[in-house]
Amino acid sequence: MEKEKQNISIEQDLNDQQQRRREKLELYKQMGIDPFGQKFDVNATTIDLKSTYAYLECEQVDENTEVSIAGRIVLLRKMGKASFITLQDRYGKIQCYIRQDVVGEENYKLFKLADLGDICGVTGHMMKTKTGEVTLRATKYTHLSKALRPLPDKFHGLTDPEDRRRKRYVDLIVNEESRNVAFMRPKIIRGIQNFMDHENFVEVETSVLQPILGGANARPFVTHHNALDQDFYLRIATELSLKRLIVGGMERVYEIGRLFRNEGIDTSHNPEFTTMEAYQAYGDLSSMAKLVEDLIKHLAKNVTHKTVVDWLGCKVDLLQNYRHATMSELVKEKTGIDFLKVDFEEAKDLAKKHNIKVEPHFRWGHILNAFFETYVEESLDQPTFVYSHPVDISPLAKKDSNDERLTQRFELYISRKEICNAFTELNDPIDQRERFEEQLAEKNSGNEEACEVDDDYVEALEYGLAPTGGIGIGIDRLVMMLLEKDSIRDVLLFPTLKRR
Protein backbone atom coordinates (compact mmCIF):
# COMPACT_ATOMS: atom_id res chain seq x y z
CA MET A 1 0.00 0.00 0.00
CA GLU A 2 2.84 2.39 0.91
CA LYS A 3 4.58 1.64 -2.41
CA GLU A 4 1.34 2.32 -4.35
CA LYS A 5 0.98 5.71 -2.62
CA GLN A 6 4.59 6.50 -3.52
CA ASN A 7 4.01 5.60 -7.19
CA ILE A 8 0.87 7.78 -7.31
CA SER A 9 2.87 10.67 -5.83
CA ILE A 10 5.60 10.25 -8.44
CA GLU A 11 3.06 10.17 -11.30
CA GLN A 12 1.42 13.37 -10.02
CA ASP A 13 4.81 15.11 -10.14
CA LEU A 14 5.45 14.15 -13.78
CA ASN A 15 4.43 16.34 -16.69
CA ASP A 16 2.56 14.89 -19.67
CA GLN A 17 5.68 14.18 -21.72
CA GLN A 18 7.43 12.41 -18.88
CA GLN A 19 4.34 10.34 -18.18
CA ARG A 20 4.00 9.25 -21.83
CA ARG A 21 7.65 8.22 -21.93
CA ARG A 22 7.24 6.07 -18.82
CA GLU A 23 4.16 4.43 -20.30
CA LYS A 24 6.29 3.34 -23.28
CA LEU A 25 8.56 1.28 -21.03
CA GLU A 26 5.96 -1.49 -20.90
CA LEU A 27 5.55 -1.43 -24.69
CA TYR A 28 9.29 -2.05 -25.11
CA LYS A 29 9.10 -4.99 -22.73
CA GLN A 30 6.15 -6.44 -24.64
CA MET A 31 8.34 -6.39 -27.76
CA GLY A 32 11.11 -8.20 -25.88
CA ILE A 33 13.30 -5.06 -25.79
CA ASP A 34 15.14 -3.90 -22.67
CA PRO A 35 14.23 -0.19 -22.42
CA PHE A 36 17.72 0.54 -21.07
CA GLY A 37 19.59 -1.55 -23.58
CA GLN A 38 22.57 -3.78 -24.12
CA LYS A 39 26.01 -3.55 -25.70
CA PHE A 40 26.13 -2.26 -29.27
CA ASP A 41 29.10 -2.62 -31.63
CA VAL A 42 30.07 0.74 -33.14
CA ASN A 43 32.44 0.81 -36.12
CA ALA A 44 32.12 4.45 -37.22
CA THR A 45 31.73 8.01 -35.96
CA THR A 46 29.78 10.94 -37.35
CA ILE A 47 32.91 12.91 -38.24
CA ASP A 48 34.49 9.95 -40.06
CA LEU A 49 31.35 9.23 -42.07
CA LYS A 50 30.89 12.84 -43.15
CA SER A 51 34.46 13.13 -44.39
CA THR A 52 34.79 9.64 -45.88
CA TYR A 53 31.54 9.80 -47.88
CA ALA A 54 31.63 13.43 -48.96
CA TYR A 55 32.56 12.19 -52.45
CA LEU A 56 29.13 10.61 -53.08
CA GLU A 57 26.93 12.13 -55.75
CA CYS A 58 23.40 13.28 -54.86
CA GLU A 59 21.08 10.25 -54.37
CA GLN A 60 24.06 7.86 -54.68
CA VAL A 61 24.24 4.97 -52.15
CA ASP A 62 27.37 3.00 -51.19
CA GLU A 63 25.98 -0.55 -50.98
CA ASN A 64 29.39 -2.14 -50.45
CA THR A 65 30.16 -1.06 -46.87
CA GLU A 66 27.93 -1.51 -43.83
CA VAL A 67 28.46 0.94 -40.97
CA SER A 68 27.11 1.13 -37.43
CA ILE A 69 26.95 4.28 -35.33
CA ALA A 70 25.36 5.06 -31.98
CA GLY A 71 24.33 8.25 -30.22
CA ARG A 72 21.48 10.39 -29.00
CA ILE A 73 18.47 11.44 -31.10
CA VAL A 74 18.51 15.24 -31.20
CA LEU A 75 16.14 15.73 -34.15
CA LEU A 76 13.22 13.49 -35.06
CA ARG A 77 10.87 13.68 -38.06
CA LYS A 78 8.39 10.79 -38.23
CA MET A 79 6.56 10.73 -41.57
CA GLY A 80 4.44 7.63 -41.98
CA LYS A 81 6.55 4.84 -43.44
CA ALA A 82 9.73 6.89 -43.94
CA SER A 83 11.41 9.07 -41.30
CA PHE A 84 14.56 11.06 -40.55
CA ILE A 85 16.48 11.34 -37.33
CA THR A 86 19.61 13.31 -36.47
CA LEU A 87 21.99 11.32 -34.33
CA GLN A 88 24.61 13.01 -32.13
CA ASP A 89 27.75 11.29 -30.88
CA ARG A 90 30.82 12.82 -29.20
CA TYR A 91 32.14 14.12 -32.53
CA GLY A 92 29.04 15.75 -33.99
CA LYS A 93 25.75 15.00 -35.76
CA ILE A 94 24.63 13.03 -38.77
CA GLN A 95 21.28 12.46 -40.47
CA CYS A 96 19.80 8.95 -40.67
CA TYR A 97 17.04 7.88 -43.08
CA ILE A 98 14.75 5.08 -41.90
CA ARG A 99 12.21 3.39 -44.22
CA GLN A 100 9.77 0.69 -43.18
CA ASP A 101 10.26 -1.30 -46.40
CA VAL A 102 14.02 -1.45 -45.74
CA VAL A 103 14.24 -2.11 -41.96
CA GLY A 104 11.06 -4.22 -41.82
CA GLU A 105 7.68 -3.65 -40.23
CA GLU A 106 8.63 -4.92 -36.75
CA ASN A 107 11.83 -2.87 -36.61
CA TYR A 108 10.01 0.24 -37.83
CA LYS A 109 7.38 -0.29 -35.14
CA LEU A 110 10.19 -0.26 -32.60
CA PHE A 111 11.57 2.95 -34.11
CA LYS A 112 8.14 4.61 -33.88
CA LEU A 113 8.45 4.42 -30.05
CA ALA A 114 11.51 6.69 -30.20
CA ASP A 115 11.51 10.12 -28.58
CA LEU A 116 13.92 13.04 -28.71
CA GLY A 117 16.79 12.31 -26.35
CA ASP A 118 16.65 8.52 -26.70
CA ILE A 119 19.95 6.74 -27.31
CA CYS A 120 20.01 4.34 -30.25
CA GLY A 121 22.21 2.53 -32.72
CA VAL A 122 21.76 2.64 -36.50
CA THR A 123 23.25 0.19 -38.99
CA GLY A 124 23.13 0.74 -42.74
CA HIS A 125 24.76 2.17 -45.86
CA MET A 126 25.93 5.69 -46.59
CA MET A 127 24.18 7.84 -49.15
CA LYS A 128 23.81 11.46 -50.17
CA THR A 129 20.33 12.99 -50.37
CA LYS A 130 19.06 15.02 -53.30
CA THR A 131 19.90 18.15 -51.27
CA GLY A 132 23.51 16.99 -50.91
CA GLU A 133 23.51 15.90 -47.25
CA VAL A 134 25.62 12.88 -46.28
CA THR A 135 23.15 10.49 -44.66
CA LEU A 136 23.07 7.00 -43.20
CA ARG A 137 20.30 4.92 -44.81
CA ALA A 138 19.27 2.47 -42.11
CA THR A 139 18.95 -1.28 -42.58
CA LYS A 140 18.41 -1.75 -38.85
CA TYR A 141 17.39 0.47 -35.94
CA THR A 142 18.49 -0.59 -32.43
CA HIS A 143 16.96 0.93 -29.32
CA LEU A 144 19.63 1.36 -26.63
CA SER A 145 18.33 3.56 -23.80
CA LYS A 146 15.09 5.40 -23.10
CA ALA A 147 15.24 9.06 -22.04
CA LEU A 148 12.51 9.58 -19.45
CA ARG A 149 12.90 13.36 -19.53
CA PRO A 150 12.58 15.46 -22.70
CA LEU A 151 15.45 17.64 -23.88
CA PRO A 152 15.09 21.43 -23.43
CA ASP A 153 13.07 23.25 -26.08
CA LYS A 154 15.19 23.42 -29.25
CA PHE A 155 14.56 27.14 -29.78
CA HIS A 156 15.39 28.29 -26.25
CA GLY A 157 17.65 25.44 -25.15
CA LEU A 158 19.42 25.49 -21.81
CA THR A 159 20.46 29.14 -21.85
CA ASP A 160 20.47 30.14 -18.18
CA PRO A 161 24.14 30.02 -17.05
CA GLU A 162 23.20 28.81 -13.57
CA ASP A 163 21.13 25.91 -14.95
CA ARG A 164 23.86 25.01 -17.46
CA ARG A 165 26.43 24.66 -14.68
CA ARG A 166 24.13 22.77 -12.32
CA LYS A 167 22.94 20.40 -15.06
CA ARG A 168 26.14 20.00 -17.03
CA TYR A 169 24.91 16.64 -18.33
CA VAL A 170 22.08 18.42 -20.19
CA ASP A 171 24.30 21.35 -21.15
CA LEU A 172 26.71 18.98 -22.90
CA ILE A 173 23.86 17.43 -24.88
CA VAL A 174 22.29 20.63 -26.17
CA ASN A 175 25.11 23.22 -26.27
CA GLU A 176 27.82 22.66 -28.84
CA GLU A 177 30.10 25.30 -27.32
CA SER A 178 30.03 23.53 -23.95
CA ARG A 179 31.00 20.27 -25.65
CA ASN A 180 33.85 22.04 -27.44
CA VAL A 181 35.21 23.35 -24.12
CA ALA A 182 34.81 19.95 -22.45
CA PHE A 183 36.87 18.26 -25.16
CA MET A 184 39.37 21.09 -25.65
CA ARG A 185 40.40 21.39 -22.00
CA PRO A 186 42.00 17.91 -21.85
CA LYS A 187 43.68 18.63 -25.19
CA ILE A 188 45.23 21.74 -23.68
CA ILE A 189 46.42 19.75 -20.66
CA ARG A 190 47.84 17.09 -22.96
CA GLY A 191 49.55 19.89 -24.90
CA ILE A 192 51.12 21.13 -21.65
CA GLN A 193 52.33 17.62 -20.83
CA ASN A 194 53.83 17.16 -24.30
CA PHE A 195 55.59 20.53 -24.07
CA MET A 196 56.98 19.84 -20.58
CA ASP A 197 58.09 16.33 -21.56
CA HIS A 198 59.90 17.82 -24.56
CA GLU A 199 61.68 20.20 -22.16
CA ASN A 200 62.89 17.12 -20.19
CA PHE A 201 60.67 17.67 -17.15
CA VAL A 202 59.35 14.60 -15.31
CA GLU A 203 55.66 14.53 -14.34
CA VAL A 204 55.09 13.42 -10.73
CA GLU A 205 52.27 13.06 -8.22
CA THR A 206 52.46 14.29 -4.64
CA SER A 207 50.15 14.02 -1.62
CA VAL A 208 46.87 15.92 -1.45
CA LEU A 209 46.64 15.48 2.35
CA GLN A 210 49.25 17.66 4.08
CA PRO A 211 50.09 17.70 7.81
CA ILE A 212 51.46 21.29 7.63
CA LEU A 213 50.07 24.36 5.89
CA GLY A 214 52.63 25.66 3.42
CA GLY A 215 53.64 26.59 -0.09
CA ALA A 216 51.30 29.59 -0.41
CA ASN A 217 49.28 32.10 1.59
CA ALA A 218 45.70 30.84 1.65
CA ARG A 219 42.98 29.59 3.98
CA PRO A 220 42.83 25.79 3.91
CA PHE A 221 40.21 23.08 4.13
CA VAL A 222 40.84 20.95 7.21
CA THR A 223 39.96 17.26 7.52
CA HIS A 224 40.57 14.59 10.14
CA HIS A 225 42.21 11.18 9.73
CA ASN A 226 40.53 8.85 12.18
CA ALA A 227 43.15 6.08 12.29
CA LEU A 228 45.97 8.56 13.06
CA ASP A 229 43.66 10.83 15.10
CA GLN A 230 45.29 13.75 13.32
CA ASP A 231 44.10 16.79 11.40
CA PHE A 232 45.31 17.26 7.83
CA TYR A 233 44.96 20.06 5.30
CA LEU A 234 43.85 19.61 1.71
CA ARG A 235 46.90 21.02 -0.05
CA ILE A 236 46.92 24.68 -1.00
CA ALA A 237 50.06 24.24 -3.13
CA THR A 238 52.38 21.50 -4.37
CA GLU A 239 55.50 23.66 -4.02
CA LEU A 240 57.23 22.27 -0.94
CA SER A 241 56.76 18.63 -1.98
CA LEU A 242 58.14 19.28 -5.46
CA LYS A 243 61.18 21.16 -4.18
CA ARG A 244 61.95 18.22 -1.91
CA LEU A 245 62.22 16.18 -5.13
CA ILE A 246 64.73 18.69 -6.51
CA VAL A 247 66.76 18.18 -3.32
CA GLY A 248 66.52 14.45 -4.04
CA GLY A 249 68.15 14.97 -7.43
CA MET A 250 65.20 14.69 -9.87
CA GLU A 251 66.34 18.08 -11.31
CA ARG A 252 63.27 18.90 -13.47
CA VAL A 253 59.81 18.02 -12.17
CA TYR A 254 56.25 19.20 -12.71
CA GLU A 255 52.82 18.28 -11.41
CA ILE A 256 49.38 19.05 -12.80
CA GLY A 257 47.00 18.64 -9.89
CA ARG A 258 44.10 19.88 -7.83
CA LEU A 259 44.56 22.45 -5.08
CA PHE A 260 42.00 23.45 -2.45
CA ARG A 261 41.55 26.88 -0.89
CA ASN A 262 38.75 27.73 1.51
CA GLU A 263 38.07 31.13 0.02
CA GLY A 264 35.48 33.04 -1.99
CA ILE A 265 33.84 32.02 -5.25
CA ASP A 266 33.69 34.38 -8.21
CA THR A 267 34.26 34.38 -11.97
CA SER A 268 38.00 33.81 -11.44
CA HIS A 269 38.06 31.59 -8.33
CA ASN A 270 36.75 28.16 -7.39
CA PRO A 271 37.54 26.44 -4.06
CA GLU A 272 39.12 23.51 -5.90
CA PHE A 273 41.19 24.32 -8.95
CA THR A 274 44.01 22.94 -11.08
CA THR A 275 47.55 24.20 -11.35
CA MET A 276 50.80 23.15 -12.91
CA GLU A 277 53.87 23.71 -10.76
CA ALA A 278 57.30 23.11 -12.26
CA TYR A 279 60.81 23.30 -10.80
CA GLN A 280 64.10 23.36 -12.69
CA ALA A 281 67.43 22.81 -10.98
CA TYR A 282 70.19 25.14 -12.16
CA GLY A 283 67.56 27.55 -13.46
CA ASP A 284 66.29 30.91 -12.23
CA LEU A 285 63.57 33.48 -12.85
CA SER A 286 64.64 34.05 -16.46
CA SER A 287 64.35 30.28 -17.11
CA MET A 288 60.76 30.35 -15.87
CA ALA A 289 59.86 33.45 -17.92
CA LYS A 290 61.08 31.76 -21.09
CA LEU A 291 59.31 28.51 -20.15
CA VAL A 292 55.86 30.06 -19.65
CA GLU A 293 56.05 32.40 -22.65
CA ASP A 294 57.12 29.52 -24.90
CA LEU A 295 54.39 27.30 -23.42
CA ILE A 296 51.58 29.79 -24.06
CA LYS A 297 52.75 30.39 -27.62
CA HIS A 298 53.04 26.62 -28.20
CA LEU A 299 49.46 26.02 -27.00
CA ALA A 300 48.07 28.88 -29.08
CA LYS A 301 49.83 27.76 -32.27
CA ASN A 302 49.57 23.97 -31.96
CA VAL A 303 46.56 23.11 -29.77
CA THR A 304 43.84 25.79 -30.00
CA HIS A 305 45.19 27.19 -33.32
CA LYS A 306 44.17 30.68 -32.21
CA THR A 307 46.99 33.14 -31.57
CA VAL A 308 44.87 36.27 -31.05
CA VAL A 309 42.28 36.02 -28.27
CA ASP A 310 39.51 38.36 -27.16
CA TRP A 311 39.42 37.76 -23.43
CA LEU A 312 37.68 39.83 -20.74
CA GLY A 313 37.28 42.69 -23.19
CA CYS A 314 40.95 42.75 -24.23
CA LYS A 315 42.22 41.73 -27.64
CA VAL A 316 45.59 40.03 -27.09
CA ASP A 317 48.14 38.75 -29.59
CA LEU A 318 49.69 35.86 -27.70
CA LEU A 319 52.68 35.74 -30.05
CA GLN A 320 53.86 39.28 -29.27
CA ASN A 321 56.93 39.99 -27.12
CA TYR A 322 55.79 40.16 -23.49
CA ARG A 323 56.60 43.25 -21.44
CA HIS A 324 58.92 43.01 -18.39
CA ALA A 325 58.60 45.60 -15.57
CA THR A 326 59.11 45.73 -11.79
CA MET A 327 56.24 46.25 -9.37
CA SER A 328 57.74 49.51 -8.10
CA GLU A 329 58.22 50.82 -11.67
CA LEU A 330 54.57 50.15 -12.50
CA VAL A 331 53.36 51.80 -9.27
CA LYS A 332 55.52 54.82 -10.04
CA GLU A 333 54.04 55.07 -13.56
CA LYS A 334 50.50 55.25 -12.12
CA THR A 335 51.06 57.27 -8.92
CA GLY A 336 54.38 59.07 -9.28
CA ILE A 337 55.55 57.43 -6.02
CA ASP A 338 58.96 55.75 -6.03
CA PHE A 339 58.58 53.14 -3.31
CA LEU A 340 62.28 52.27 -3.50
CA LYS A 341 62.95 55.69 -1.93
CA VAL A 342 60.25 55.33 0.76
CA ASP A 343 60.65 53.72 4.21
CA PHE A 344 57.90 51.98 6.21
CA GLU A 345 56.70 55.08 8.08
CA GLU A 346 56.52 57.13 4.88
CA ALA A 347 54.70 54.24 3.17
CA LYS A 348 52.08 54.24 5.94
CA ASP A 349 51.54 57.98 5.51
CA LEU A 350 51.17 57.57 1.74
CA ALA A 351 48.67 54.75 2.25
CA LYS A 352 46.57 56.97 4.51
CA LYS A 353 46.61 59.79 1.95
CA HIS A 354 45.50 57.37 -0.78
CA ASN A 355 42.77 55.72 1.35
CA ILE A 356 44.56 52.37 1.42
CA LYS A 357 43.87 50.42 4.62
CA VAL A 358 46.96 49.26 6.52
CA GLU A 359 46.30 45.97 8.31
CA PRO A 360 47.99 45.23 11.69
CA HIS A 361 50.44 42.74 10.10
CA PHE A 362 51.43 45.05 7.21
CA ARG A 363 55.07 45.92 6.59
CA TRP A 364 56.63 48.05 3.83
CA GLY A 365 56.18 45.36 1.19
CA HIS A 366 52.51 44.82 1.99
CA ILE A 367 51.84 48.51 1.37
CA LEU A 368 53.71 48.47 -1.97
CA ASN A 369 51.62 45.46 -2.99
CA ALA A 370 48.41 47.22 -1.91
CA PHE A 371 49.30 50.19 -4.14
CA PHE A 372 49.97 47.78 -7.02
CA GLU A 373 46.60 46.05 -6.57
CA THR A 374 44.78 49.38 -6.33
CA TYR A 375 46.43 51.37 -9.12
CA VAL A 376 48.14 48.95 -11.51
CA GLU A 377 46.44 45.54 -11.81
CA GLU A 378 43.42 46.76 -13.76
CA SER A 379 45.67 48.38 -16.40
CA LEU A 380 47.65 45.26 -17.34
CA ASP A 381 45.76 44.34 -20.52
CA GLN A 382 48.68 43.04 -22.60
CA PRO A 383 51.06 40.27 -21.47
CA THR A 384 53.25 41.73 -18.72
CA PHE A 385 55.80 40.07 -16.45
CA VAL A 386 55.64 41.95 -13.13
CA TYR A 387 58.98 41.50 -11.31
CA SER A 388 60.58 42.23 -7.94
CA HIS A 389 57.83 41.52 -5.43
CA PRO A 390 58.53 42.54 -1.82
CA VAL A 391 60.04 39.92 0.46
CA ASP A 392 57.18 40.60 2.93
CA ILE A 393 54.70 38.86 0.59
CA SER A 394 57.12 36.28 -0.89
CA PRO A 395 58.22 33.87 1.86
CA LEU A 396 59.61 31.26 -0.55
CA ALA A 397 61.43 33.45 -3.08
CA LYS A 398 65.14 34.29 -3.13
CA LYS A 399 66.04 37.86 -2.16
CA ASP A 400 67.20 40.38 -4.74
CA SER A 401 70.95 40.78 -4.29
CA ASN A 402 70.62 44.51 -5.01
CA ASP A 403 67.81 45.26 -2.56
CA GLU A 404 66.97 42.90 0.32
CA ARG A 405 63.43 44.30 0.55
CA LEU A 406 62.67 42.65 -2.82
CA THR A 407 62.74 39.13 -4.24
CA GLN A 408 63.48 37.36 -7.50
CA ARG A 409 59.84 36.76 -8.33
CA PHE A 410 57.42 37.56 -11.14
CA GLU A 411 53.74 37.23 -11.94
CA LEU A 412 52.52 37.19 -15.54
CA TYR A 413 49.38 39.25 -16.19
CA ILE A 414 47.19 39.00 -19.29
CA SER A 415 43.87 40.83 -19.63
CA ARG A 416 44.28 42.09 -16.05
CA LYS A 417 44.43 38.55 -14.67
CA GLU A 418 47.37 36.78 -13.04
CA ILE A 419 48.27 33.73 -15.14
CA CYS A 420 51.28 32.45 -13.22
CA ASN A 421 53.65 33.09 -10.32
CA ALA A 422 57.37 32.29 -10.47
CA PHE A 423 60.47 32.50 -8.27
CA THR A 424 64.13 32.00 -8.19
CA GLU A 425 63.67 29.62 -5.29
CA LEU A 426 64.95 30.40 -1.83
CA ASN A 427 67.52 27.69 -1.09
CA ASP A 428 69.17 29.14 2.02
CA PRO A 429 67.80 27.08 4.95
CA ILE A 430 68.71 29.75 7.54
CA ASP A 431 66.88 32.47 5.61
CA GLN A 432 63.97 30.08 4.98
CA ARG A 433 63.51 29.36 8.70
CA GLU A 434 63.51 33.10 9.43
CA ARG A 435 60.86 33.64 6.74
CA PHE A 436 58.70 30.84 8.17
CA GLU A 437 58.98 32.38 11.64
CA GLU A 438 57.95 35.77 10.24
CA GLN A 439 54.94 34.07 8.65
CA LEU A 440 54.07 32.49 12.01
CA ALA A 441 54.22 35.94 13.60
CA GLU A 442 51.85 37.19 10.90
CA LYS A 443 49.45 34.33 11.65
CA ASN A 444 49.54 35.25 15.33
CA SER A 445 48.81 38.87 14.33
CA GLY A 446 45.62 37.84 12.59
CA ASN A 447 46.67 36.85 9.05
CA GLU A 448 44.79 33.55 8.63
CA GLU A 449 46.45 32.93 5.25
CA ALA A 450 50.04 32.92 6.56
CA CYS A 451 52.14 29.74 6.33
CA GLU A 452 53.23 27.52 9.20
CA VAL A 453 56.80 26.50 10.03
CA ASP A 454 57.71 23.36 8.06
CA ASP A 455 60.68 21.95 9.95
CA ASP A 456 61.05 18.97 7.62
CA TYR A 457 61.29 21.25 4.58
CA VAL A 458 63.99 23.33 6.28
CA GLU A 459 65.85 20.08 7.05
CA ALA A 460 65.56 19.12 3.36
CA LEU A 461 67.15 22.46 2.40
CA GLU A 462 70.01 21.74 4.80
CA TYR A 463 70.95 18.79 2.58
CA GLY A 464 71.34 21.28 -0.27
CA LEU A 465 68.88 22.60 -2.87
CA ALA A 466 70.55 23.51 -6.15
CA PRO A 467 69.89 27.00 -7.52
CA THR A 468 66.37 26.48 -8.84
CA GLY A 469 63.67 28.25 -10.84
CA GLY A 470 60.06 27.46 -10.03
CA ILE A 471 56.67 28.39 -11.43
CA GLY A 472 52.98 27.85 -10.73
CA ILE A 473 50.47 28.26 -13.57
CA GLY A 474 46.70 28.36 -13.04
CA ILE A 475 45.40 25.81 -15.55
CA ASP A 476 41.76 26.91 -15.27
CA ARG A 477 42.64 30.53 -15.96
CA LEU A 478 44.98 29.52 -18.79
CA VAL A 479 42.14 27.52 -20.37
CA MET A 480 39.78 30.48 -19.88
CA MET A 481 42.19 32.70 -21.78
CA LEU A 482 42.90 30.28 -24.62
CA LEU A 483 39.18 29.51 -25.11
CA GLU A 484 38.02 33.11 -24.47
CA LYS A 485 35.78 32.30 -21.50
CA ASP A 486 34.99 35.00 -18.96
CA SER A 487 34.04 32.70 -16.05
CA ILE A 488 35.99 29.85 -14.48
CA ARG A 489 32.66 28.02 -14.15
CA ASP A 490 32.55 27.66 -17.93
CA VAL A 491 35.84 25.71 -18.07
CA LEU A 492 35.10 23.43 -15.11
CA LEU A 493 32.75 20.53 -15.74
CA PHE A 494 31.34 20.67 -12.21
CA PRO A 495 32.10 24.02 -10.51
CA THR A 496 31.34 24.55 -6.84
CA LEU A 497 27.91 26.19 -6.53
CA LYS A 498 25.81 27.37 -3.65
CA ARG A 499 23.18 24.82 -2.70
CA ARG A 500 19.70 25.74 -3.85
Side-chain angles (χ1 to χ4, degrees):
M1 179 64 73
E2 189 64 35
K3 189 173 181 180
E4 288 179 8
K5 288 181 180 178
Q6 189 177 29
N7 288 339
I8 291 171
S9 175
I10 291 172
E11 289 178 8
Q12 288 172 341
D13 289 338
L14 300 176
N15 63 34
D16 290 343
Q17 275 205 61
Q18 290 171 298
Q19 185 59 41
R20 285 197 296 272
R21 287 173 182 240
R22 287 176 182 250
E23 289 168 356
K24 288 182 179 181
L25 298 180
E26 187 57 38
L27 298 177
Y28 282 108
K29 292 174 184 177
Q30 290 173 10
M31 298 178 71
I33 302 295
D34 181 350
F36 301 104
Q38 304 293 338
K39 176 187 174 184
F40 181 81
D41 290 326
V42 176
N43 66 11
T45 66
T46 55
I47 192 170
D48 289 340
L49 294 179
K50 283 187 170 182
S51 61
T52 302
Y53 292 94
Y55 73 90
L56 292 174
E57 300 291 336
C58 290
E59 299 189 281
Q60 181 184 355
V61 181
D62 178 4
E63 300 280 5
N64 299 318
T65 306
E66 185 176 76
V67 300
S68 293
I69 62 171
R72 189 180 297 273
I73 300 173
V74 293
L75 191 63
L76 179 59
R77 288 180 289 159
K78 295 178 182 176
M79 303 178 295
K81 296 182 179 181
S83 301
F84 287 93
I85 63 171
T86 298
L87 206 62
Q88 177 175 289
D89 66 7
R90 61 179 288 188
Y91 299 101
K93 302 173 184 176
I94 198 162
Q95 180 173 265
C96 302
Y97 178 44
I98 303 174
R99 289 171 53 115
Q100 179 176 304
D101 60 351
V102 176
V103 301
E105 189 173 337
E106 190 67 15
N107 195 231
Y108 198 73
K109 180 181 176 184
L110 172 64
F111 161 72
K112 294 285 274 188
L113 292 176
D115 290 300
L116 275 177
D118 285 1
I119 297 170
C120 68
V122 180
T123 300
H125 303 285
M126 296 307 298
M127 61 173 286
K128 188 175 280 188
T129 64
K130 65 173 67 176
T131 59
E133 183 169 357
V134 174
T135 299
L136 174 55
R137 190 182 71 172
T139 55
K140 184 179 180 182
Y141 171 87
T142 303
H143 171 81
L144 295 177
S145 189
K146 191 67 183 172
L148 297 183
R149 286 180 180 266
L151 296 176
D153 178 87
K154 67 179 180 179
F155 295 109
H156 300 100
L158 191 69
T159 56
D160 181 74
E162 186 79 1
D163 284 341
R164 289 174 57 190
R165 293 157 187 163
R166 289 185 185 277
K167 299 180 180 180
R168 187 67 81 196
Y169 43 90
V170 182
D171 183 35
L172 292 172
I173 295 170
V174 300
N175 289 320
E176 185 176 357
E177 181 59 26
S178 294
R179 286 197 302 278
N180 290 340
V181 172
F183 285 115
M184 185 55 73
R185 179 185 170 113
K187 288 181 180 178
I188 292 171
I189 292 174
R190 183 60 55 85
I192 295 170
Q193 291 169 317
N194 291 338
F195 176 87
M196 296 301 289
D197 293 347
H198 185 264
E199 295 292 321
N200 293 319
F201 283 79
V202 177
E203 186 173 14
V204 298
E205 294 178 290
T206 62
S207 301
V208 172
L209 292 178
Q210 301 282 347
I212 291 175
L213 184 65
N217 289 345
R219 294 182 64 181
F221 288 94
V222 184
T223 188
H224 187 77
H225 190 286
N226 292 332
L228 295 177
D229 191 22
Q230 179 181 345
D231 282 347
F232 284 83
Y233 301 108
L234 297 184
R235 66 185 180 190
I236 59 171
T238 54
E239 178 167 347
L240 300 186
S241 296
L242 293 175
K243 285 196 286 193
R244 285 175 169 93
L245 300 180
I246 301 296
V247 171
M250 293 188 73
E251 294 191 355
R252 292 191 180 204
V253 297
Y254 76 99
E255 179 171 12
I256 297 174
R258 287 277 182 167
L259 303 183
F260 305 84
R261 297 185 181 179
N262 198 352
E263 299 170 346
I265 299 174
D266 58 28
T267 56
S268 300
H269 298 89
N270 195 68
E272 58 173 310
F273 57 99
T274 303
T275 66
M276 182 191 78
E277 288 197 34
Y279 294 86
Q280 178 182 334
Y282 316 115
D284 66 0
L285 209 58
S286 63
S287 311
M288 297 300 101
K290 183 177 188 308
L291 183 81
V292 69
E293 187 169 341
D294 288 349
L295 171 62
I296 290 172
K297 292 176 178 179
H298 165 78
L299 295 173
K301 287 189 292 186
N302 301 304
V303 179
T304 62
H305 306 290
K306 188 163 189 173
T307 60
V308 178
V309 296
D310 188 351
W311 185 44
L312 301 173
C314 304
K315 194 168 186 177
V316 181
D317 180 357
L318 296 175
L319 300 188
Q320 68 181 281
N321 292 324
Y322 296 2
R323 184 187 180 191
H324 294 240
T326 69
M327 182 180 284
S328 58
E329 287 171 349
L330 292 167
V331 170
K332 186 177 179 180
E333 285 178 10
K334 294 297 180 182
T335 67
I337 300 169
D338 186 351
F339 263 82
L340 299 185
K341 297 179 180 178
V342 169
D343 63 21
F344 178 45
E345 293 303 322
E346 291 172 318
K348 284 197 293 185
D349 290 340
L350 288 166
K352 186 175 181 180
K353 291 175 183 176
H354 288 79
N355 296 315
I356 291 176
K357 185 178 180 182
V358 177
E359 301 289 351
H361 65 273
F362 271 22
R363 296 191 291 277
W364 174 86
H366 294 96
I367 298 174
L368 169 56
N369 186 58
F371 269 81
F372 171 78
E373 291 177 347
T374 302
Y375 290 102
V376 179
E377 264 189 349
E378 287 301 305
S379 69
L380 300 177
D381 293 344
Q382 298 304 309
T384 305
F385 287 106
V386 180
Y387 280 86
S388 298
H389 290 59
V391 69
D392 297 330
I393 61 167
S394 311
L396 296 164
K398 197 164 190 170
K399 288 180 181 176
D400 187 328
S401 58
N402 298 314
D403 188 335
E404 290 210 340
R405 296 174 299 176
L406 305 175
T407 61
Q408 296 181 45
R409 174 185 176 189
F410 73 68
E411 292 174 306
L412 173 62
Y413 282 82
I414 300 176
S415 295
R416 306 180 298 277
K417 294 294 183 182
E418 176 199 336
I419 300 298
C420 68
N421 186 19
F423 305 152
T424 297
E425 299 299 331
L426 174 58
N427 61 346
D428 177 346
I430 298 170
D431 189 359
Q432 182 63 81
R433 180 172 291 281
E434 290 174 356
R435 306 267 198 102
F436 277 149
E437 288 170 352
E438 288 170 0
Q439 286 284 298
L440 187 59
E442 276 194 33
K443 185 178 281 287
N444 294 334
S445 297
N447 184 4
E448 296 180 352
E449 297 185 352
C451 297
E452 298 178 349
V453 177
D454 190 334
D455 291 311
D456 181 76
Y457 178 68
V458 175
E459 181 178 331
L461 291 185
E462 290 174 352
Y463 283 94
L465 172 65
T468 297
I471 193 166
I473 302 172
I475 297 296
D476 308 304
R477 201 167 288 181
L478 181 63
V479 172
M480 285 170 62
M481 178 190 70
L482 292 169
L483 300 184
E484 302 175 309
K485 295 297 174 185
D486 291 352
S487 173
I488 192 173
R489 301 183 188 102
D490 291 330
V491 300
L492 298 174
L493 288 174
F494 300 104
T496 304
L497 299 168
K498 186 176 181 180
R499 184 181 299 171
R500 275 179 169 168

